[in-house]
Each structure stands twice: as structure tokens, then as C-alpha cells.
Amino acid sequence: MSMKLLEGERALITGCAGGIGRGIARALKAEGAIVLGSDIAAPPAEDGIGFLAADLSKRDGWKKLLDGAVKKLGTISLFVHAASPRRLEADTPLSVSEETWDLMTDINLRSGFFLGREVGRHMRDNRIKGRMILVTSQHREMPRNLPHYSASKAGMTMVMKELARVLAPDGIRVNAIAPGAIPGGGFVAGNLDALVAQIPLGRAGTPDDIAQVAVAILSERFGRYVVGTTVEVDGGLGLTSWIPAKA
């Protein structure tokens, strides 16, 4: 029987209470990784995935999470930042509040950067040829009528590139995944049928669609030469122009 792709790896995943983060946590565990997930609320316990509560909107939230994760896992060889607040269609460029802006950028961008940087230092200091993924979005480049979300994902993309460049000489690979329309988690579609009609592949995505790509990128069998790259997983939605402008 062949060895699983991530046998013996130790993974920390943010945003694992549901949606994409939960899907990635399950997929990594299925491929042999020891998985510790985090979120502000506990996920279902039946998956057998470890859990550590963390509020990444707080200034010290990322540090408390990292300290707790190292205590539980010992070392971290895989890191996935999938945490992101729920986004509401009402939070358009002319209506989004400062509080909503801060919440989104604190969790996505600030915590994503500091966790990635300190996990990278941990990997380097322990001579671990680790791998990281930041979950960004198509809307790092395509306007979404949600400026706080799009701006945070654009910033995360550059954070990924900056970390990838500085950590690659130590054998640490940093990449990003840009999901398309994945209902559930933080994604709320006003008219899902109309959105699906725009997807060339003809269906919305699932967390498992994202998770299987994450496994490939994180594995040394398939992803060993992938560094500083954003992989689109969107059924072809990025080929269309599907977001109408509105105030």
C-alpha cells in the first residue's frame, strides 16, 4: 500500500469550523497529516481533528494561536490560512463601515501575515522544509462590490509573494489558492442559480474541490517546485465578468 501524501506532517489550519477550511482540514487528515484546526467557534467533533479556539480579530489573537499550536503539535510543517469573516452583500463601497473594514482586514491580512511570518520562522529555526497556503480569492483582482474583502485578498496575495521569496531559500514553499464560488462558510450568494449560470463548468464549487488542490500543492509528490503562485480553482468563473457594479 502506498504512503499517503502527507504522512507524518503536522498542520495548522485557520477557519476550520466550516466551509473551505474544514474541507482542507479533512483532506489533510485523510492524507496522513496530524491536523490542528482553529476558529472562533468549535467545529463538529466527529472528524477527529484537533481544535484550538482563536479570535484572529484581536491584536494578540494570532500570537496566542501560534503559541498554543506549537504546544499541541510540537512542530508545524504545514500551515493554511483559510479564516475570513462572513461577508454581506450590503457592505458595498459606499456603505461599508469602518468596523466591518477593520474586522475583515484584521483577520484576513494582518493575522495572515503575522501567522505566516512566525510559522515561517518556526520552520526555518527547526530546519523544517514546510509548506504554506493562503486562501485568497478571484477578487484579489476582480472587483466584488465588497472593498474590504477584495482589498484584504489582494493584500494577502502580495503577502504570499513576499513570504515565498524570503523563505524559499530555506526550502519553505508558500503559495495561495483563489477559490471561485464555493457556497457555505463566508460566501453568501443573493441568486446562486444566476451565478452558476455564469460558470463555464456549469456548477458551483465545493470545499472538497479546493481541498484536493491544497493537498497537491502541499505535497512533495506534486507540489515540490511550486512557489509564490496563486492557483485558481473556480470552474472557469474567472473567465467571465459576472459582478454588476452597484452602490
Side-chain angles (χ1 to χ4, degrees), residues 219-234:
S219 76
E220 288 296 275
R221 185 181 303 175
F222 299 115
R224 63 181 179 269
Y225 206 56
V226 182
V227 179
T229 296
T230 298
V231 179
E232 299 268 0
V233 189
D234 65 359

Side-chain angles (χ1 to χ4, degrees), residues 35 49 74 97 104 109 113 130 133-134 153 173-174 177-178 180 197 208:
V35 178
I49 295 168
S97 69
M104 184 69 72
L109 185 55
F113 170 68
I133 290 176
L134 303 186
K153 294 300 187 179
R173 296 192 292 104
V174 185
I177 289 178
D208 191 58

Side-chain angles (χ1 to χ4, degrees), residues 21 25 35 45 66 80 88 97 130 135 162 171 208 223:
V35 178
L66 183 58
V80 179
L88 302 177
S97 69
V135 179
E162 294 279 9
D208 191 58

Side-chain angles (χ1 to χ4, degrees), residues 15-18 22 37-44 51-55:
C16 83
R22 194 69 183 166
S38 75
D39 213 307
I40 196 166
F51 178 76
L52 189 62
D55 184 352

Side-chain angles (χ1 to χ4, degrees), residues 98-126:
E98 186 172 355
E99 292 75 18
T100 299
W101 177 282
D102 287 347
L103 178 66
M104 184 69 72
T105 54
D106 281 350
I107 293 175
N108 288 1
L109 185 55
R110 179 177 56 79
S111 290
F113 170 68
F114 285 110
L115 276 170
R117 186 183 72 178
E118 297 308 315
V119 169
R121 283 177 169 165
H122 165 85
M123 292 173 174
R124 184 188 60 188
D125 293 347
N126 287 278

Side-chain angles (χ1 to χ4, degrees), residues 5-244:
L5 287 173
L6 301 173
E7 195 73 50
E9 304 285 356
R10 295 173 181 265
L12 172 62
I13 302 173
T14 68
C16 83
I20 289 171
R22 194 69 183 166
I24 292 175
R26 289 171 174 159
L28 267 59
K29 184 175 186 295
E31 286 295 341
I34 299 168
V35 178
L36 178 64
S38 75
D39 213 307
I40 196 166
E46 62 267 19
D47 290 344
I49 295 168
F51 178 76
L52 189 62
D55 184 352
L56 297 181
S57 70
K58 304 299 184 185
R59 284 289 164 183
D60 60 350
W62 68 266
K63 189 176 188 306
K64 289 180 178 179
L65 172 58
L66 183 58
D67 290 345
V70 171
K71 287 179 182 178
K72 284 180 174 289
L73 292 172
T75 57
I76 300 169
S77 60
L78 306 176
F79 170 62
V80 179
H81 185 51
S84 187
R86 184 172 293 275
R87 47 204 185 273
L88 302 177
E89 298 296 333
D91 292 323
T92 65
L94 299 185
S95 63
V96 65
S97 69
E98 186 172 355
E99 292 75 18
T100 299
W101 177 282
D102 287 347
L103 178 66
M104 184 69 72
T105 54
D106 281 350
I107 293 175
N108 288 1
L109 185 55
R110 179 177 56 79
S111 290
F113 170 68
F114 285 110
L115 276 170
R117 186 183 72 178
E118 297 308 315
V119 169
R121 283 177 169 165
H122 165 85
M123 292 173 174
R124 184 188 60 188
D125 293 347
N126 287 278
R127 298 183 179 180
I128 298 168
K129 294 187 184 299
R131 286 85 75 195
M132 302 187 213
I133 290 176
L134 303 186
V135 179
T136 62
S137 171
Q138 289 181 320
H139 303 295
R140 73 196 188 281
E141 297 177 343
M142 180 192 302
R144 174 70 172 90
N145 297 320
L146 301 173
H148 54 315
Y149 179 72
S150 298
S152 70
K153 294 300 187 179
M156 288 174 68
T157 300
M158 189 51 67
V159 161
M160 178 274 291
K161 291 178 180 290
E162 294 279 9
L163 292 175
R165 189 176 183 210
V166 76
L167 294 173
D170 293 297
I172 300 166
R173 296 192 292 104
V174 185
N175 292 286
I177 289 178
I182 315 292
F187 176 74
V188 179
N191 188 335
L192 184 58
D193 290 340
L195 175 56
V196 169
Q198 302 299 314
I199 300 174
L201 205 57
R203 66 172 177 87
T206 68
D208 191 58
D209 290 326
I210 309 303
Q212 296 308 314
V213 175
V215 166
I217 296 170
L218 293 170
S219 76
E220 288 296 275
R221 185 181 303 175
F222 299 115
R224 63 181 179 269
Y225 206 56
V226 182
V227 179
T229 296
T230 298
V231 179
E232 299 268 0
V233 189
D234 65 359
L237 186 56
L239 302 172
T240 71
S241 179
W242 58 278
I243 298 296

